[in-house]
Amino acid sequence: MILEIENLNKTYSNGVQALKDVSLTIKTGMFGLLGQNGAGKSTLMRTVATLQDADSGTIRFDGIDVAKEPGKLREVLGYLPQEFGVYPTATAMELLTHIADMKGITHAGERKDQVEAIIKKVNLWEARSKKLGGYSGGMKQRFGIAQALLGNPRLIIVDEPTAGLDPMERNRFYNLLSEIGENTVVILSTHIVEDVSTLCNQMAIIGKGEVLLTGKPGEIEAGLNERVWEKQIEKHELQDYEDTMNVISSRFHLGKLMITVVADDLPDGNFWSKAPSLEDAYFNVLYNERSNLAATVMA
Ligand code: ADP
């Protein structure tokens, strides 16, 4: 099973070009689509989920041409949108039963079995008869995953699922997602690096509607081997370092500023070498994107 996105373009009526020639090949397993707010992730996810059209390009999944056969795609799709509203007065049991019905699981016994199995899977069994309006953010997200999993989809899209979850809820959500079947294509769209490093075996970084990098997280990290350096500096020194070095990130650590620099050689004797993390690789891609943009503006 494979999802093939080729040369997808989308410009909104306000002139924003949200997708620029996006091409991605996504195989079974967990695929992370990482990008900042406004990068074009939701536009891409909604297009794959048949909720909006691209201006040009094609999307194929397992023999289905998504633009030409949206109904067929919906039969195999599980989708958790970024904004997932629930009917506050319905219980989990009621709403899942209704959604299962709409997904074509019309046999009452089969529907009950599936709904109950999924509620247990997402750990909401105890709360199955509570009104959804009283659910916490984490419970709502787990309910969202439950509705996406109904009907055994082969393509699952989750858009920004962990934004707004506390660390415990996020962990539970990770565990749940990592249990999803191996014969499924799962796309996780997120601006949180940890989501991708924890869960995904393939990934892409997207920025301003363009695919900036694709690969396995480990390979992407390894691309920076022996090129990441750290140093503790005073806050007022930051500008100097930014003017002379590729400072990809800076953060406060015990009252001092810690900067991370990418360079082929040790920048100066007070830096120390650091094993690259996925976050470093991501910041480096964003840094290069900003530099390219600045160079274009100046030219
Ligand atoms: P992300 O999901 O990565 O935050 P989006 O796909 O939501 O990115 O947005 C990509 C760009 O397209 C942004 O600049 C956003 O403001 C713009 N955009 C998104 N939806 C619309 C829309 N319906 N009309 C106009 N512009 C939009």
Side-chain angles (χ1 to χ4, degrees), residues 64-119:
I64 303 168
D65 182 321
V66 173
K68 290 190 182 139
E69 306 162 291
K72 269 192 164 176
L73 195 273
R74 282 179 212 138
E75 283 171 20
V76 298
L77 174 73
Y79 178 50
L80 175 57
Q82 196 172 354
E83 301 286 331
F84 180 68
V86 291
Y87 295 98
T89 56
T91 68
M93 205 62 201
E94 287 164 355
L95 191 51
L96 281 179
T97 302
H98 175 67
I99 293 169
D101 200 25
M102 292 199 307
K103 282 195 176 185
I105 313 167
T106 47
H107 185 277
E110 186 194 338
R111 193 169 56 221
K112 185 164 181 284
D113 288 349
Q114 265 210 40
V115 165
E116 290 188 354
I118 277 177
I119 287 190

Side-chain angles (χ1 to χ4, degrees), residues 12-14 16-18 35-44 46 82 159-160 189:
Y12 285 109
S13 53
N14 60 0
V16 173
Q17 200 179 350
Q36 291 179 297
N37 287 334
K41 303 182 297 296
S42 290
T43 301
L44 182 58
R46 287 197 304 261
Q82 196 172 354
D159 199 356
E160 301 268 359
S189 137

Side-chain angles (χ1 to χ4, degrees), residues 192-211:
I192 298 167
V193 178
E194 191 197 351
D195 289 354
V196 177
S197 58
T198 310
L199 291 170
C200 301
N201 50 6
Q202 291 283 333
M203 66 177 288
I205 297 175
I206 168 172
K208 298 207 172 64
E210 283 182 276
V211 176

Side-chain angles (χ1 to χ4, degrees), residues 226-291:
E226 292 169 33
R227 293 171 58 218
V228 184
W229 313 93
E230 256 184 0
K231 184 180 184 178
Q232 226 174 31
I233 61 164
E234 299 296 334
K235 195 176 156 207
H236 69 266
E237 297 174 312
L238 179 62
Q239 190 64 51
D240 280 350
Y241 282 95
E242 284 184 337
D243 290 345
T244 52
M245 295 178 187
N246 295 342
V247 180
I248 59 162
S249 64
S250 59
R251 67 191 156 87
F252 278 101
H253 181 66
L254 303 175
K256 292 267 188 180
L257 199 57
M258 190 83 89
I259 55 170
T260 307
V261 166
V262 170
D264 290 341
D265 301 306
L266 182 69
D268 75 40
N270 292 321
F271 275 86
W272 58 88
S273 169
K274 173 180 186 289
S277 64
L278 192 60
E279 192 168 59
D280 294 330
Y282 179 48
F283 285 152
N284 187 47
V285 168
L286 296 181
Y287 175 86
N288 289 333
E289 196 202 6
R290 279 199 306 275
S291 310

